[in-house]
Amino acid sequence: MEKELMLEGMKCDGCVATVQEKFSAIVGVEKVTVDLEGKKATVQMNQDISEATFNEVLADTKFKVTGSK
């Protein structure tokens, strides 16, 4: 299954790398593609993962998930 997450706070390639690393560490996440310009992440998962879970792993960063599709 796939989820597109809208992100707030990303400004550079370092931001992209941080989000990708944090999301990839979540159990059930198989692949993460982060789009800096589009301010979103596309996540391939083998189970449903809540928006809250993604925000939890970003808690120690300046980034935030603001919505999903």
Side-chain angles (χ1 to χ4, degrees):
M1 81 183 42
E2 182 176 285
K3 189 175 280 193
E4 189 174 277
L5 302 166
M6 303 300 119
L7 295 164
E8 185 178 277
M10 293 194 315
K11 295 181 181 359
C12 65
D13 289 337
C15 298
V16 169
T18 299
V19 170
Q20 190 148 5
E21 180 183 319
K22 295 280 189 181
F23 286 179
S24 293
I26 298 171
V27 174
V29 171
E30 296 177 333
K31 182 181 176 185
V32 180
T33 306
V34 181
D35 177 5
L36 177 61
E37 194 173 302
K39 298 191 183 322
K40 65 183 177 180
T42 304
V43 183
Q44 299 285 334
M45 308 166 290
N46 62 20
Q47 62 189 25
D48 191 31
I49 301 169
S50 71
E51 222 177 277
T53 300
F54 289 102
N55 270 320
E56 283 174 24
V57 300
L58 295 178
D60 65 343
T61 71
K62 60 185 173 189
F63 316 119
K64 182 178 180 180
V65 175
T66 59
S68 63
K69 292 183 187 177

